[in-house]
Structures are given as structure tokens and as C-alpha cells.
Amino acid sequence: TNGLIYQSFVTAYSLSEQTLSLDEPIIFDSHSVIFGECLHEENTSDLWFWNQGNYMVSMNICSTERGQFSVIKNLNTIIPGGTVGINIGSAQTNITFLMLIEDTDLTEPIPTLLNKNGCRIQVVNTSSLTDTVTLYGSTITGNPIPQVTASITIIRMTP
């Protein structure tokens, strides 16, 4: 099995410029890869996992204002080590960290899977520095090639 017996991973991203209020999650337009026991539906903020384990998270955000973003689970728990700040305007930031999803986190009904609960992961604007934070897209400057405004990759490392 080459270790794939427990492997799950997803990469979701947004090409859309978004203006996010405090506690508002990033909407991920699309995903490039989904494998294993995880889910992302296009144009939603939710990434779903239904197995406990240790997961590696890598996130990238491009904003036009100072701000702070946190990876949260089940709508209310900021994941330790999962908050990153952007201290200047028109900047890009990234963070990579490990998170634990436990059996006690598998409590949210997964919308498209009947009778299945999981852990909902979102990236939320947790900044109190500004009223809103805008994710920068290339269409602001008229560039015809869309660029990623935010992306997240989550990989299950161990059961």
C-alpha cells in the first residue's frame, strides 16, 4: 500500500478577490486535488475530514491590508499554531503547521454524505486591526492571468 492506507489530502484555492469582515471565512473557489477521506465543494469555505489523525496544513494568503487569519475547526476552535498575521498592506503570507483531529472533533454533519459526521476546517479572518481584509487578486491591477488569492493544502500524515 506504500503508506496510502491512511492517506488523505486536499488542495483548495481561490482566484476571487474577497472582502472579509471579522470572523468571516475565506471562500475557496475550487480545488486541484482531493484524495481519500476528505471533501471540499467548490465555492464554499468548508474542508471536511472524517478520520482522526495528525495532519500537515500549509496555507497561503495574499491581502491588501494588514490582518490576521486563523485555521479553525468546527466553527469555533482556533487550532493551536494555526494563526498567522500580515503586518503590512499588499503582502503575501504563508504558514505550515501540524494539527491533530481527534475522534471528539468528528461531530459536524457532512452536508453531502448522509449519516456521516466529520471535522469542518475553515480559514477565518480573526483580525481586529481593520474592519475588513481584502484578498488581493490580479484583476485589481488588470492582469488577465488570474492569480491565487488564498490556498490551503491539508495532508493526513498518520492515523
Side-chain angles (χ1 to χ4, degrees):
T1 62
N2 295 329
L4 293 178
I5 194 165
Y6 61 82
Q7 195 66 50
S8 294
F9 49 86
V10 60
T11 293
Y13 61 92
S14 177
L15 299 175
S16 299
E17 296 158 4
Q18 300 174 49
T19 300
L20 304 169
S21 299
L22 181 63
D23 296 329
E24 189 174 2
I26 294 174
I27 302 296
F28 294 104
D29 301 343
S30 192
H31 47 263
S32 56
V33 176
I34 297 177
F35 180 83
E37 296 176 323
C38 57
L39 174 71
H40 171 256
E41 292 182 330
E42 291 184 349
N43 297 309
T44 68
S45 59
D46 302 333
L47 295 114
W48 293 94
F49 298 87
W50 51 90
N51 273 325
Q52 59 101 26
N54 293 290
Y55 291 78
M56 184 180 74
V57 180
S58 181
M59 179 175 65
N60 183 53
I61 299 170
C62 189
S63 73
T64 58
E65 298 91 18
R66 298 182 318 151
Q68 184 182 67
F69 288 87
S70 298
V71 179
I72 64 168
K73 58 183 169 182
N74 296 330
L75 303 175
N76 61 12
T77 303
I78 295 176
I79 297 170
T83 298
V84 64
I86 303 162
N87 294 320
I88 61 172
S90 298
Q92 181 176 354
T93 190
N94 54 53
I95 187 172
T96 301
F97 63 96
L98 296 176
M99 74 174 176
L100 175 62
I101 294 178
E102 301 176 277
D103 282 336
T104 56
D105 296 321
L106 307 177
T107 58
E108 297 284 316
I110 302 171
T112 57
L113 298 177
L114 294 176
N115 302 316
K116 189 76 164 173
N117 285 346
C119 181
R120 180 188 311 197
I121 302 295
Q122 295 177 319
V123 180
V124 174
N125 173 13
T126 53
S127 177
S128 59
L129 299 174
T130 60
D131 291 335
T132 60
V133 176
T134 302
L135 301 185
Y136 171 78
S138 57
T139 58
I140 289 175
T141 57
N143 190 338
I145 301 170
Q147 76 177 39
V148 173
T149 59
S151 67
I152 188 167
T153 298
I154 303 176
I155 303 170
R156 186 171 185 227
M157 305 298 290
T158 62

